[in-house]
Amino acid sequence: MEKTVLVVGLGNMGAALAETLLGAGYDTWVWNRTKEKADILLQKGASWSENVWAAVGKVDYVVMCVTNYASSVELFSTCPELDKKVIIQLTTGTASDANSFEGLVRHKQGLYIDGAIMAYPSVIGDQNCLLLVAGSQEVWAKSEALILKLGGQAKYLGEEVGAPSHLDHALLAPSIMMQMAVIQGMHMAQRAGVDLDFYSKMMASLPVSLKADLERHTRAIIDNDFSDVQASIRTWKEALERVLEEGQTSRINVDLLSGVNRMLALGVEQGVGEQDIAALTKVMS
Ligand code: NAP
């Protein structure tokens, strides 16, 4: 089995990828713009690539994980001919980024897999870790074993390399918004002088009722049926306006909530105010 890899980028995520591959028995070469970040990996047995592509002739796979595609493209501009080596690009980007990068890799006679990591670094290598990947069937077959070492739940989405980023963005949006919802709530409780331990316990019980809401909303959107109204868009808008009013007088930051209120107002304006909030998907398009 081919088990030689170069990992380019050793930030929080790249370091976790490299450490996992080392632990899985891959002969692992590493490179990072700031060399000190490689120290722990070198102590654990990784080899240092003197410049970004110095070790590329020795490896079968290159895993890239840097801040963005602009940095990847800049780094890749000095990459030599790849002679059918597999580039696994795990940097977060857009579908268009992935398509352009695939073109660059092919131009250098390389094989390409694009992926999105749906996990934190601490979960890399876990059986439950989800990675979404795409690329030609042939390249997936060649890379599957390595990718499954990084995430036991890795899913191959097909040949269209933009596919992981579309799904990544659609999952990233609820993830960041749900986390921001908690942060907004803590901010409001803080401003109101509420006991934060007490409040955080109350918030911890929310997911039970939210789970039912999430299921109701996803079902309503799939079935295009918004008639199961627990609280209408108009009712939510009225309630949220009181929160915004309070925010103005109590030094509470309501920027996030103002954005939500604009969506609710649009729903009312466009005639879906009496429907359940999932009907806002109609005014988003
Ligand atoms: P990070 O800790 O900030 O690391 C960024 C990496 O990119 C560092 O290795 C940095 O090098 C390198 N870099 C940035 N600009 C560069 C340039 N112009 N030339 C060369 N190297 C450059 O970020 P991260 O958390 O590892 O995230 C890396 C990627 O993984 C991102 O696309 C992120 O969206 C994705 N991701 C992260 C997570 C997560 O939970 N962290 C989850 C899913 C996906 P230096 O060390 O020299 O600065």
Side-chain angles (χ1 to χ4, degrees), residues 8-15 17 31-35 37 64-72 74-75 90-93 116-122 124 168 172:
V8 173
L10 302 174
N12 292 321
M13 184 53 85
L17 298 171
W31 179 85
N32 192 56
R33 181 178 59 177
T34 312
K35 187 180 176 190
K37 289 191 188 166
M64 293 190 75
C65 189
V66 292
T67 303
N68 53 38
Y69 275 71
S71 310
S72 295
E74 191 188 326
L75 289 171
L90 297 179
T91 300
T92 301
I117 303 171
M118 313 306 301
Y120 287 123
S122 58
I124 296 298
D168 182 27
L172 198 145

Side-chain angles (χ1 to χ4, degrees), residues 115-235:
I117 303 171
M118 313 306 301
Y120 287 123
S122 58
V123 187
I124 296 298
D126 195 278
Q127 267 315 299
N128 294 316
C129 174
L130 174 63
L131 270 77
L132 304 171
V133 297
S136 84
Q137 288 271 1
E138 182 201 344
V139 189
W140 164 241
K142 224 169 143 57
S143 333
E144 184 177 359
L146 183 152
I147 290 168
L148 284 170
K149 290 289 178 200
L150 297 176
Q153 293 298 313
K155 298 263 176 299
Y156 173 63
L157 301 180
E159 305 225 330
E160 172 44 55
V161 294
S165 86
H166 285 308
L167 205 45
D168 182 27
H169 296 180
L171 290 166
L172 198 145
S175 169
I176 184 72
M177 286 201 279
M178 284 182 205
Q179 293 183 61
M180 289 307 297
V182 171
I183 292 161
Q184 175 77 48
M186 287 297 279
H187 164 65
M188 293 168 87
Q190 226 166 11
R191 281 277 185 252
V194 171
D195 179 296
L196 293 183
D197 280 320
F198 173 71
Y199 173 72
S200 69
K201 284 194 190 98
M202 287 173 71
M203 191 153 43
S205 66
L206 270 180
V208 178
S209 62
L210 274 180
K211 187 169 181 292
D213 282 336
L214 299 186
E215 283 167 7
R216 190 162 50 84
H217 295 327
T218 50
R219 195 69 256 156
I221 293 164
I222 292 164
D223 295 345
N224 195 26
D225 176 1
F226 306 98
S227 54
D228 178 7
V229 181
Q230 296 295 317
S232 69
I233 289 172
R234 177 186 46 75
T235 302

